[in-house]
Amino acid sequence: MSEYIEKLKRRFSELFGGLENTREYFSPGRVNLIGEHTDYNGGHVFPCALTLGTYAIARRRDDDKIMLYSENVSKAGVITLSKDNIALNGSYGWAAYPIGVVWAFEKQGYGIDSGFEMALFGDIPNGSGLSSSASIEVLTGAVLRDLYSFDGVTGVDLAKIGQYSENNFNGVKCGIMDQFAVAMGKKDHAIFLDTATLKYEYAPVILEDASIVIVNSNVKHSLVDSAYNERRSQCAEALSDLQSVLDIRTLGDIDEETFEKNKGAIKDETVRKRAKHAVYENQRTIRAVKALSENDIALFGKLMDESHISLRDDYEVSCEEIDFLVDTAHSVKGVIGSRITGGGFGGCTVNIVKNEALDEFKEKINRAYLEKYSKEPGIYQVSIGDGAGRI
Ligand code: GLA
């Protein structure tokens, strides 16, 4: 970590001239343990912040310029614009994430009175579904709050502003989960969040003799954003059909039994399957959090497995490579649970693996995936870290 900061300091100094008055920040990535595609259905999610994430060095400028640099996209060089001239459809490349947050802050009444310069570096694998974009959004929010003393802005506000920016500046109609986990994460805890009310609780993740291992398929299928938005509208359609027979506000308002009794009201068969996932996954998440609090890791793992099957068959957001990783995981004795995590159509699986089986797990996954797809998966044994802020 300190090694990243030292490197970034040298780069900042070269690009922007010295390090006087600079400040340092970190913002995590996230992994969702269970509760997938429930956050735009008024359901529960159970993500945690990672110790992988994005580092930044920043300082205010005396003029109106915003100057942004990412060591991950060094070819793009320094992106420079005036704080008073942010275009909704500008071609900013990676910098659309921080610029969108400056734009969103202004929309929320937090206009900045001078420019700033910021250099970033992230160690979250790109396009992996571990929320590198939410990490940059919340990071930028934390930087702005600190540099301009927007003291009234809370962590939950940072999450909401990040989501607002992603929805309205970047055009992805995501829910609140990613930004919330990144802003509000807590070391060694997952966040049990009710997305209907934003009430949340921290749950200690004590796995005793097991670890969380993320496997990156290194595939990202095209049309992810459009397929995501399509799932959202199918859920909205299901809700509207159900509202003709039930007095509910979201799919998160009903349990499995109520769904089964009333599902006939949903006209389209595919839409019915989507709604089934949203309802069952929400209830599964509530049960999984209870299982974890009772130290029943085996049940927690079983619910993760059921979550995967539902995402694969009813929600249809998995893909061949991810299913292969989940199946291979299950061939290792000592794997307690395995599922796709994040938006889907590629990205990562999250696995709970007994420590004694870790070496076999890593070796087997690596070999089988390489043999079948001629590329290595990324395997990360991860720790749960804190949310975004100054370091
Ligand atoms: C993406 C979105 C989140 C959430 C997940 C699926 O990560 O950004 O809001 O909907 O997909 O659970």
Side-chain angles (χ1 to χ4, degrees), residues 105-124:
F105 258 70
E106 159 113 63
K107 291 264 169 233
Q108 306 298 321
Y110 299 105
I112 56 177
D113 55 13
S114 74
F116 67 99
E117 47 209 13
M118 176 164 84
L120 305 183
F121 172 72
D123 64 351
I124 306 170

Side-chain angles (χ1 to χ4, degrees), residues 91-157:
S91 34
Y92 300 121
W94 76 271
Y97 293 110
I99 294 170
V101 172
V102 177
W103 173 86
F105 258 70
E106 159 113 63
K107 291 264 169 233
Q108 306 298 321
Y110 299 105
I112 56 177
D113 55 13
S114 74
F116 67 99
E117 47 209 13
M118 176 164 84
L120 305 183
F121 172 72
D123 64 351
I124 306 170
N126 238 350
S128 59
L130 301 179
S131 289
S132 51
S133 51
S135 176
I136 295 177
E137 286 157 1
V138 174
L139 175 70
T140 308
V143 167
L144 295 179
R145 173 173 69 180
D146 186 54
L147 287 184
Y148 300 93
S149 306
F150 295 136
D151 296 335
V153 175
T154 63
V156 175
D157 293 334

Side-chain angles (χ1 to χ4, degrees), residues 167-310:
N167 288 173
N168 300 295
F169 197 82
N170 300 95
V172 180
K173 302 288 171 205
C174 65
I176 189 81
M177 171 172 73
D178 302 347
Q179 290 79 7
F180 201 96
V182 170
M184 301 297 291
K186 181 172 166 181
K187 189 175 174 0
D188 297 330
H189 290 73
I191 308 170
F192 182 40
L193 170 69
D194 179 348
T195 62
T197 58
L198 292 193
K199 285 206 177 113
Y200 64 96
E201 270 166 43
Y202 290 111
V205 178
I206 301 165
L207 300 174
E208 283 165 5
D209 57 349
S211 302
I212 303 174
V213 186
I214 294 173
V215 180
N216 186 1
S217 67
N218 286 320
V219 294
K220 189 175 184 196
H221 290 285
S222 54
L223 303 177
V224 178
D225 294 348
S226 60
Y228 184 91
N229 291 343
E230 183 193 51
R231 295 299 181 283
R232 274 200 83 137
S233 57
Q234 287 169 327
C235 287
E237 185 181 331
L239 175 65
S240 145
D241 284 350
L242 284 172
Q243 282 169 333
S244 65
V245 291
L246 290 169
D247 182 19
I248 54 171
R249 281 166 308 120
T250 69
L251 294 178
D253 286 345
I254 52 176
D255 58 16
E256 297 97 327
E257 203 189 330
T258 313
F259 177 78
E260 292 302 332
K261 272 195 199 135
N262 294 280
K263 66 183 180 189
I266 304 173
K267 295 178 215 86
D268 182 272
E269 198 187 325
T270 305
V271 170
R272 204 178 306 134
K273 284 206 297 185
R274 306 294 190 247
K276 179 179 178 200
H277 167 77
V279 170
Y280 277 64
E281 179 77 355
N282 181 40
Q283 299 301 321
R284 238 189 318 267
T285 305
I286 297 169
R287 274 207 297 280
V289 174
K290 184 163 178 283
L292 188 65
S293 74
E294 290 165 356
N295 248 329
D296 192 345
I297 314 294
L299 177 57
F300 189 83
K302 185 169 165 278
L303 293 163
M304 285 175 72
D305 294 343
E306 286 175 12
S307 165
H308 183 75
I309 293 169
S310 177

Side-chain angles (χ1 to χ4, degrees), residues 28-77:
R30 69 95 188 89
V31 67
N32 189 22
L33 298 179
I34 194 162
E36 215 68 81
H37 290 278
T38 48
D39 68 344
Y40 48 87
N41 285 309
H44 293 76
V45 292
F46 196 49
C48 45
L50 298 171
T51 52
L52 297 170
T54 320
Y55 297 84
I57 313 241
R59 79 176 156 209
R60 287 177 70 135
R61 292 178 58 90
D62 294 331
D63 58 14
D64 69 348
K65 276 193 191 127
I66 298 175
M67 301 182 83
L68 303 163
Y69 172 81
S70 165
E71 186 68 25
N72 299 80
V73 199
S74 55
K75 277 200 195 118

